[in-house]
Amino acid sequence: MSNTQGSSSHGKLVAVVVAAAVVIILAVLSAFVWPGWAIRHDAGQQDQQNEQVAERPSTPSIDAVALPEDATELLKAMPDSVLNFARTAADASTDWSDASPLEEYTMTYSTGEAAEDVTLTVAQWSTADSAKAQYDALAGALSGEELGAGDVKVSGETKGSYVARVDAADDTKAVAVWQNDTAVFRASGAEEAVMDFYMAFPL
């Protein structure tokens, strides 16, 4: 009688263990084989990781060209570098002379790869209204697909506007124009380079 009870108990124990093992196996299979249960393919997170991998370097690999000793305050305010773009040229300009700016310059910012060069034109006026008139004229002349637009804010206060568009003459390029108080800026070059450059530009 005792041997019979022992065999029965042992059999029940084996059955319980087997049943538990089956449950665990089914759980594992459902978690990793059954679509969408335990493994989540988060497309947004993957895209974000891909963007981080492809993120542009924050420092240039080439040296910036020094400004002339008699550089004005406006020219001195221009950054030596933006992300991995270093200033490689800075010259007086007359592109916007019809709008009578106080001063105007054209600069080149480069990564060392000519295809990524960004040309930056900057000028300053005596009043914000004069600068806005020039911004409006430049922005109104852009006809390519819009890549971005909005207000330029400084310490929470709106100081101007910006717009970026595909270059209508070459859809691999872009032009960004923005006003910051009495100064107006225009950046042009390869689309990705311009977008990265103007979004990181400190002024």
Side-chain angles (χ1 to χ4, degrees), residues 26-113:
L26 288 175
V28 170
L29 287 174
S30 65
F32 294 99
V33 178
W34 193 268
W37 190 76
I39 298 178
R40 293 184 57 210
H41 298 284
D42 191 333
Q45 183 179 10
Q46 186 64 45
D47 289 344
Q48 185 178 10
Q49 290 173 347
N50 290 340
E51 289 174 3
Q52 290 173 350
V53 170
E55 185 177 1
R56 184 178 290 276
S58 59
T59 55
S61 59
I62 60 175
D63 294 330
V65 171
L67 294 173
E69 292 183 2
D70 61 349
T72 65
E73 292 304 312
L74 175 62
L75 197 52
K76 289 178 182 177
M78 297 302 104
D80 289 343
S81 63
V82 178
L83 299 175
N84 64 330
F85 298 91
R87 185 187 59 241
T88 56
D91 301 294
S93 176
T94 58
D95 288 356
W96 301 339
S97 59
D98 289 348
S100 302
L102 299 174
E103 52 186 313
E104 178 187 344
Y105 302 95
T106 295
M107 285 158 278
T108 300
Y109 283 84
S110 179
T111 64
E113 297 289 337

Side-chain angles (χ1 to χ4, degrees), residues 54-57 82-85 116 118 190-201:
E55 185 177 1
R56 184 178 290 276
V82 178
L83 299 175
N84 64 330
F85 298 91
E116 285 202 317
V118 173
E191 181 179 330
E192 183 178 345
V194 168
M195 295 300 288
D196 290 346
F197 180 87
Y198 97 87
M199 291 179 69
F201 197 81

